[in-house]
Amino acid sequence: DPFYTAEHPELAVKRESDGGVWKDHKGLAFIDVGAKPFWDYIIEVSKETYDIGFDELNFDYVRYPSDGNMKDIAFMLDAGELKADKLEEFFAYLYENLSEPWEGNEDVPKLSADLFGYTTTNTDDLGIGQVIERALPYFDYVMPMVYPSHYNAGFIGIAKPATQPYEIIKYSMDEAVRRAKLLASAKTSTATTTEMIALREQSKKGHGNINPLQLRPWLQDFDLGATYTPEMVRTQMQATYDAGLTSWALWDAGNTYTRAALKDDISAEVSLEE
C-alpha cells in the first residue's frame, strides 16, 4: 500500500542496509506483514465495507513482497519466526475480528483470500509466506490464482502451460483438494507422523471446519502466453468441476470477459465423497 506507507513509513518494509523504505522494481512500497496497526486499519475498512452492503470480503496481496532487491530487505519478524507464521497470525486476526457480529449487525461477511497458484502444489511458502494449509482454517473461501500463463515452462512436463489450461487447472486443483482433505481428516487421525501431528494442530485453528469446497480458484480470461478462446476459458471451468469443486471466478485486469464462455452451464457431476 504505497499510499499508507507515505503516511506511515515506520510500518513499511525496510531496506536492511540503511533502514529506508524498501520499494519493488515498480517503485511501490509495501506495508510490513507484521505492522499490527495496519491490521486494525484493515479491520476497520472491512467492517465499513460490510456495513455498506458487500456480503463477501476478498483479501488480495496477502503476502510478503518478492519483486525487488531481496538481498537488501528487512521484515518485522521475531527471532526464529517464519514469514508463514506472521502471515497466519494476520489471517487469524482477520477471522477473530470479523467472524462475530459487531454493533449494528446480526450477521457477518463471508471471507476469502487470494493465494498464488503454486500454493496448490508447493509445500514451502514460496518466499512470500503463503501456505494453503495455513489459510484454510480462517477463510470461507481460499482462491488460488491458478492462471496457466503464470506457470513456468516445463511444469508437469508442459512446455507452454498457457496453451494447456485444462491440464494445469486439473492438476493444481486436484492437489489442492487432496491437501484440504488431508487437513480435514487430521482431526480424527491417529497417525503419529510429524506431518500429521502438524496438520492435526492446524485443523483445530480458526473455524475448525475444513472442507475442500472452500477452494474456489481464479481462472484465466485474458491473453497471456496464448490467445484465450471461449473454449479455453470453459475448459478451465470443466477442470475445476472435474477436480470435485463447485465454484470458480474469472479474472481479467481490464474487466472484459468472454461472454461466449458463459453462455451455457457446464454439465458436471460434482462429488467429493471418498
Tab-separated table of all heavy atoms in Angstrom, residues 147-168 220 224-228 232:
chain	number	residue	atom	x	y	z
A	147	TYR	N	-3.754	-19.273	-12.828
A	147	TYR	CA	-3.727	-18.869	-14.228
A	147	TYR	C	-2.638	-19.672	-14.943
A	147	TYR	O	-1.456	-19.593	-14.577
A	147	TYR	CB	-3.410	-17.379	-14.352
A	147	TYR	CG	-4.221	-16.502	-13.432
A	147	TYR	CD1	-3.595	-15.612	-12.561
A	147	TYR	CD2	-5.612	-16.566	-13.422
A	147	TYR	CE1	-4.329	-14.802	-11.710
A	147	TYR	CE2	-6.361	-15.764	-12.578
A	147	TYR	CZ	-5.712	-14.888	-11.716
A	147	TYR	OH	-6.451	-14.096	-10.870
A	148	PRO	N	-3.000	-20.425	-15.980
A	148	PRO	CA	-1.990	-21.237	-16.673
A	148	PRO	C	-0.794	-20.438	-17.166
A	148	PRO	O	0.334	-20.943	-17.196
A	148	PRO	CB	-2.784	-21.855	-17.827
A	148	PRO	CG	-4.181	-21.967	-17.277
A	148	PRO	CD	-4.367	-20.716	-16.467
A	149	SER	N	-1.022	-19.186	-17.558
A	149	SER	CA	0.072	-18.361	-18.082
A	149	SER	C	1.134	-18.059	-17.041
A	149	SER	O	2.242	-17.643	-17.380
A	149	SER	CB	-0.487	-17.036	-18.615
A	149	SER	OG	-1.119	-16.308	-17.573
A	150	HIS	N	0.806	-18.249	-15.768
A	150	HIS	CA	1.729	-17.896	-14.701
A	150	HIS	C	2.584	-19.076	-14.226
A	150	HIS	O	3.349	-18.928	-13.271
A	150	HIS	CB	0.958	-17.310	-13.519
A	150	HIS	CG	0.498	-15.896	-13.748
A	150	HIS	ND1	-0.090	-15.493	-14.924
A	150	HIS	CD2	0.542	-14.794	-12.964
A	150	HIS	CE1	-0.394	-14.205	-14.840
A	150	HIS	NE2	-0.018	-13.751	-13.663
A	151	TYR	N	2.427	-20.218	-14.881
A	151	TYR	CA	3.242	-21.379	-14.513
A	151	TYR	C	4.482	-21.435	-15.396
A	151	TYR	O	4.450	-21.059	-16.569
A	151	TYR	CB	2.422	-22.671	-14.659
A	151	TYR	CG	1.440	-22.867	-13.529
A	151	TYR	CD1	0.230	-22.178	-13.504
A	151	TYR	CD2	1.729	-23.719	-12.478
A	151	TYR	CE1	-0.672	-22.337	-12.471
A	151	TYR	CE2	0.839	-23.902	-11.429
A	151	TYR	CZ	-0.361	-23.205	-11.429
A	151	TYR	OH	-1.250	-23.363	-10.392
A	152	ASN	N	5.583	-21.907	-14.806
A	152	ASN	CA	6.842	-21.935	-15.536
A	152	ASN	C	6.845	-23.004	-16.622
A	152	ASN	O	6.159	-24.034	-16.518
A	152	ASN	CB	8.015	-22.193	-14.583
A	152	ASN	CG	7.905	-23.541	-13.885
A	152	ASN	OD1	7.116	-23.679	-12.950
A	152	ASN	ND2	8.663	-24.523	-14.325
A	153	ALA	N	7.611	-22.758	-17.669
A	153	ALA	CA	7.760	-23.736	-18.744
A	153	ALA	C	8.278	-25.036	-18.168
A	153	ALA	O	9.210	-25.055	-17.373
A	153	ALA	CB	8.721	-23.207	-19.797
A	154	GLY	N	7.636	-26.135	-18.549
A	154	GLY	CA	8.043	-27.436	-18.059
A	154	GLY	C	7.248	-27.917	-16.865
A	154	GLY	O	7.446	-29.058	-16.412
A	155	PHE	N	6.350	-27.081	-16.336
A	155	PHE	CA	5.517	-27.507	-15.215
A	155	PHE	C	4.714	-28.742	-15.612
A	155	PHE	O	4.065	-28.753	-16.651
A	155	PHE	CB	4.590	-26.374	-14.790
A	155	PHE	CG	3.681	-26.709	-13.637
A	155	PHE	CD1	4.178	-26.764	-12.344
A	155	PHE	CD2	2.341	-26.968	-13.847
A	155	PHE	CE1	3.349	-27.075	-11.276
A	155	PHE	CE2	1.500	-27.277	-12.790
A	155	PHE	CZ	2.005	-27.322	-11.496
A	156	ILE	N	4.777	-29.780	-14.824
A	156	ILE	CA	4.205	-31.112	-15.078
A	156	ILE	C	4.472	-31.575	-16.516
A	156	ILE	O	3.632	-32.235	-17.142
A	156	ILE	CB	2.708	-31.212	-14.713
A	156	ILE	CG1	1.831	-30.227	-15.500
A	156	ILE	CG2	2.515	-31.019	-13.228
A	156	ILE	CD1	0.327	-30.452	-15.322
A	157	GLY	N	5.633	-31.201	-17.039
A	157	GLY	CA	6.049	-31.671	-18.351
A	157	GLY	C	5.459	-30.909	-19.522
A	157	GLY	O	5.602	-31.339	-20.674
A	158	ILE	N	4.817	-29.771	-19.253
A	158	ILE	CA	4.180	-28.990	-20.318
A	158	ILE	C	5.086	-27.818	-20.686
A	158	ILE	O	5.422	-26.983	-19.847
A	158	ILE	CB	2.801	-28.480	-19.880
A	158	ILE	CG1	1.880	-29.672	-19.584
A	158	ILE	CG2	2.185	-27.586	-20.954
A	158	ILE	CD1	0.526	-29.271	-19.029
A	159	ALA	N	5.487	-27.749	-21.949
A	159	ALA	CA	6.430	-26.718	-22.389
A	159	ALA	C	5.836	-25.323	-22.282
A	159	ALA	O	6.510	-24.376	-21.857
A	159	ALA	CB	6.866	-26.996	-23.824
A	160	LYS	N	4.562	-25.172	-22.672
A	160	LYS	CA	3.894	-23.869	-22.620
A	160	LYS	C	2.575	-24.027	-21.866
A	160	LYS	O	1.521	-24.272	-22.467
A	160	LYS	CB	3.642	-23.346	-24.038
A	160	LYS	CG	4.926	-23.058	-24.820
A	160	LYS	CD	4.608	-22.511	-26.203
A	160	LYS	CE	5.887	-22.202	-26.968
A	160	LYS	NZ	5.600	-21.663	-28.327
A	161	PRO	N	2.605	-23.903	-20.547
A	161	PRO	CA	1.404	-24.147	-19.739
A	161	PRO	C	0.181	-23.343	-20.169
A	161	PRO	O	-0.948	-23.842	-20.066
A	161	PRO	CB	1.865	-23.756	-18.331
A	161	PRO	CG	3.329	-24.043	-18.330
A	161	PRO	CD	3.785	-23.637	-19.706
A	162	ALA	N	0.381	-22.127	-20.659
A	162	ALA	CA	-0.775	-21.316	-21.058
A	162	ALA	C	-1.586	-21.951	-22.166
A	162	ALA	O	-2.778	-21.672	-22.315
A	162	ALA	CB	-0.311	-19.925	-21.487
A	163	THR	N	-0.954	-22.830	-22.951
A	163	THR	CA	-1.651	-23.442	-24.082
A	163	THR	C	-2.435	-24.692	-23.685
A	163	THR	O	-3.172	-25.232	-24.510
A	163	THR	CB	-0.646	-23.824	-25.185
A	163	THR	OG1	0.247	-24.845	-24.693
A	163	THR	CG2	0.151	-22.618	-25.635
A	164	GLN	N	-2.287	-25.157	-22.440
A	164	GLN	CA	-2.985	-26.358	-21.981
A	164	GLN	C	-3.686	-26.075	-20.647
A	164	GLN	O	-3.339	-26.637	-19.608
A	164	GLN	CB	-2.013	-27.528	-21.862
A	164	GLN	CG	-1.435	-27.962	-23.203
A	164	GLN	CD	-0.535	-29.184	-23.087
A	164	GLN	OE1	0.637	-29.140	-23.480
A	164	GLN	NE2	-1.076	-30.272	-22.580
A	165	PRO	N	-4.692	-25.212	-20.696
A	165	PRO	CA	-5.332	-24.773	-19.453
A	165	PRO	C	-6.024	-25.884	-18.671
A	165	PRO	O	-5.990	-25.879	-17.436
A	165	PRO	CB	-6.334	-23.711	-19.918
A	165	PRO	CG	-6.535	-23.980	-21.376
A	165	PRO	CD	-5.249	-24.523	-21.866
A	166	TYR	N	-6.642	-26.841	-19.360
A	166	TYR	CA	-7.341	-27.907	-18.625
A	166	TYR	C	-6.360	-28.670	-17.749
A	166	TYR	O	-6.618	-28.907	-16.553
A	166	TYR	CB	-8.047	-28.869	-19.585
A	166	TYR	CG	-8.760	-29.993	-18.837
A	166	TYR	CD1	-10.089	-29.851	-18.440
A	166	TYR	CD2	-8.098	-31.183	-18.508
A	166	TYR	CE1	-10.741	-30.861	-17.735
A	166	TYR	CE2	-8.734	-32.189	-17.802
A	166	TYR	CZ	-10.049	-32.019	-17.414
A	166	TYR	OH	-10.682	-33.016	-16.694
A	167	GLU	N	-5.242	-29.055	-18.331
A	167	GLU	CA	-4.274	-29.882	-17.600
A	167	GLU	C	-3.705	-29.131	-16.390
A	167	GLU	O	-3.536	-29.715	-15.308
A	167	GLU	CB	-3.139	-30.301	-18.536
A	167	GLU	CG	-3.527	-31.342	-19.579
A	167	GLU	CD	-4.291	-30.773	-20.775
A	167	GLU	OE1	-4.439	-29.521	-20.853
A	167	GLU	OE2	-4.736	-31.561	-21.627
A	168	ILE	N	-3.427	-27.847	-16.552
A	168	ILE	CA	-2.859	-27.057	-15.458
A	168	ILE	C	-3.860	-26.922	-14.310
A	168	ILE	O	-3.534	-27.152	-13.137
A	168	ILE	CB	-2.420	-25.668	-15.945
A	168	ILE	CG1	-1.328	-25.784	-17.014
A	168	ILE	CG2	-1.965	-24.817	-14.776
A	168	ILE	CD1	-0.054	-26.443	-16.543
A	220	GLN	N	-8.238	-18.055	-15.718
A	220	GLN	CA	-7.710	-17.064	-16.658
A	220	GLN	C	-8.714	-16.744	-17.765
A	220	GLN	O	-9.181	-17.635	-18.473
A	220	GLN	CB	-6.415	-17.603	-17.279
A	220	GLN	CG	-5.766	-16.657	-18.281
A	220	GLN	CD	-4.360	-17.078	-18.669
A	220	GLN	OE1	-3.740	-17.876	-17.982
A	220	GLN	NE2	-3.852	-16.552	-19.773
A	224	LEU	N	-2.435	-14.119	-22.345
A	224	LEU	CA	-1.045	-14.076	-21.924
A	224	LEU	C	-0.485	-15.478	-22.104
A	224	LEU	O	-0.999	-16.438	-21.528
A	224	LEU	CB	-0.905	-13.639	-20.464
A	224	LEU	CG	0.544	-13.492	-19.951
A	224	LEU	CD1	1.272	-12.383	-20.703
A	224	LEU	CD2	0.553	-13.198	-18.447
A	225	GLY	N	0.502	-15.598	-22.928
A	225	GLY	CA	1.055	-16.911	-23.225
A	225	GLY	C	0.291	-17.635	-24.314
A	225	GLY	O	0.791	-18.575	-24.926
A	226	ALA	N	-0.939	-17.188	-24.562
A	226	ALA	CA	-1.799	-17.749	-25.615
A	226	ALA	C	-3.012	-16.832	-25.750
A	226	ALA	O	-3.335	-16.076	-24.837
A	226	ALA	CB	-2.239	-19.168	-25.273
A	227	THR	N	-3.659	-16.887	-26.909
A	227	THR	CA	-4.914	-16.170	-27.093
A	227	THR	C	-6.033	-17.033	-26.549
A	227	THR	O	-6.267	-18.149	-27.030
A	227	THR	CB	-5.154	-15.866	-28.581
A	227	THR	OG1	-4.076	-15.054	-29.072
A	227	THR	CG2	-6.474	-15.140	-28.769
A	228	TYR	N	-6.733	-16.533	-25.543
A	228	TYR	CA	-7.729	-17.353	-24.858
A	228	TYR	C	-9.091	-17.270	-25.544
A	228	TYR	O	-9.740	-16.228	-25.553
A	228	TYR	CB	-7.799	-16.975	-23.376
A	228	TYR	CG	-6.910	-17.896	-22.561
A	228	TYR	CD1	-5.554	-18.003	-22.857
A	228	TYR	CD2	-7.413	-18.713	-21.561
A	228	TYR	CE1	-4.733	-18.871	-22.172
A	228	TYR	CE2	-6.601	-19.596	-20.863
A	228	TYR	CZ	-5.256	-19.665	-21.174
A	228	TYR	OH	-4.458	-20.547	-20.511
A	232	MET	N	-11.141	-22.255	-24.339
A	232	MET	CA	-10.035	-22.322	-23.382
A	232	MET	C	-10.457	-21.812	-22.004
A	232	MET	O	-9.959	-22.279	-20.975
A	232	MET	CB	-8.826	-21.543	-23.904
A	232	MET	CG	-8.189	-22.179	-25.128
A	232	MET	SD	-6.830	-21.188	-25.799
A	232	MET	CE	-5.511	-21.568	-24.643
